[in-house]
Amino acid sequence: MKIYQTLITTAVVGHAILISIPAKGLVFTQWDFNNSNLTPNIGVGTASHVGGTATRGFNSGAGSTDPNSVNFAWNTNNYPTQGTNNKTAGVQFSTSTVGFENIIINWDQRNSATASAYTQFQYSVDGINFVDSGSPLQAGGNSSFNNSNSIDLSSITNINNNPNFSFRLVSAFDPNNNTSYTATNSGSTYRTVGTWRFDMVTINGDVSATPVPFNIPGGSTIPTFGSLLVLGIIRKAVQ
C-alpha cells in the first residue's frame, strides 16, 4: 500500500507519472455467465441480442474452457429464416478499452445441429457502425464447444483506448454459395430454432503506452501510461 501512495504523491506533485510494470495480455473484461445473467464477471461491459435473436436460457457450459465447478453458458436462438438477413443477427458485446491496446478476443461457442454453421465476427469503433473482420468462422460440430475462437485486433489502432468499442458474433451465409445458411451438422437442415451457446467471452490487451488523461481531486489532469484502471491494478498487486 505504501508503494501505491508514493506513486500517487509523485503524480500529484510532479503532474506526471511513469508506470513501468509488466503489462502483457491482461484480461480486462470477461463473461463466464456462471451467474446466469449478462453481467461480466471481470470488468464492466454489456452483452445483448441483435437482429431479433433471443435468450433460450443459461445452460451447461461443460466442455468449455471455464475452470469453475459451477459452469453455465449463454444459449441463444431465434435466428433469421433461411436465405434472409445475412450477417445481421446474433449477439453483441461492448466494453471500454481505455488504458489498453493490442486487443484480442477469445470465446467458446457450441452450436446445435440445425444452427448456422458460420459465424461472422464484426467490430465497431463507435458502437454503432460494424465491419467484418476476416471471413466467416465455421463451427467444428454440434457435439461440443469450439474453444479455439480467437480474433486478433492488434493491428486496428482505432480500437485502442476506445470507450466505444463493441463487437458482434452474427450468423452468416455459407461462403461457398453466399445465398443461404448451412446447418452445423451436415446431416441436418438449417432451422431458426437452432441455438448458439457462448461461454468465456474474454477481452484482453496490453497496458497502453499512449498517455491517457484523468482527473484527480482538485481539478488537475495528469497524463499517465494507462489510466486509473492501471493504477488500480498496481494497488491490488502491492497490497
Side-chain angles (χ1 to χ4, degrees):
M1 187 65 180
K2 184 177 180 181
I3 296 174
Y4 174 70
Q5 292 174 332
T6 302
L7 289 172
I8 293 297
T9 301
T10 302
V12 173
V13 174
H15 292 269
I17 176 172
L18 177 62
I19 300 172
S20 180
I21 59 173
K24 295 292 185 181
L26 297 174
V27 174
F28 59 92
T29 311
Q30 183 183 77
W31 287 262
D32 65 12
F33 306 109
N34 291 338
N35 290 325
S36 295
N37 60 39
L38 300 180
T39 302
N41 56 294
I42 296 176
V44 177
T46 61
S48 58
H49 296 283
V50 292
T53 60
T55 295
R56 177 72 180 271
F58 292 90
N59 301 94
S60 172
S64 74
T65 57
D66 190 343
N68 292 288
S69 57
V70 177
N71 182 7
F72 290 98
W74 183 22
N75 205 15
T76 63
N77 67 350
N78 201 37
Y79 285 83
T81 56
Q82 181 62 281
T84 67
N85 301 326
N86 183 34
K87 298 192 288 191
T88 64
V91 295
Q92 176 175 320
F93 298 90
S94 302
T95 190
S96 171
T97 65
V98 171
F100 293 93
E101 60 186 12
N102 300 325
I103 306 303
I104 296 177
I105 312 296
N106 297 286
W107 76 97
D108 301 342
Q109 182 174 338
R110 179 174 180 173
N111 294 12
S112 70
T114 60
S116 170
Y118 291 92
T119 304
Q120 178 64 58
F121 183 95
Q122 301 174 332
Y123 70 89
S124 173
V125 297
D126 59 10
I128 300 173
N129 300 292
F130 287 80
V131 297
D132 294 352
S133 176
S135 301
L137 304 172
Q138 184 174 12
N142 68 296
S143 61
S144 62
F145 275 91
N146 181 350
N147 300 328
S148 60
N149 299 298
S150 182
I151 299 292
D152 187 341
L153 301 173
S154 58
S155 64
I156 307 171
T157 57
N158 286 345
I159 290 176
N160 302 336
N161 293 301
N162 189 329
N164 301 311
F165 172 64
S166 298
F167 67 92
R168 290 177 173 176
L169 303 171
V170 292
S171 57
F173 288 164
D174 187 327
N176 296 307
N177 61 48
N178 205 35
T179 60
S180 61
Y181 300 106
T182 293
T184 299
N185 190 324
S186 60
S188 300
T189 300
Y190 172 79
R191 299 177 62 196
T192 62
V193 294
T195 62
W196 279 359
R197 193 182 306 185
F198 302 97
D199 204 0
M200 297 301 287
V201 179
T202 304
I203 308 172
N204 66 74
D206 302 336
V207 172
S208 178
T210 302
V212 179
F214 68 90
N215 295 322
I216 61 171
S220 298
T221 299
I222 302 175
T224 75
F225 285 78
S227 65
L228 279 172
L229 176 59
V230 177
L231 290 178
I233 295 171
I234 295 175
R235 176 171 59 182
K236 184 176 180 179
V238 299
Q239 283 179 337

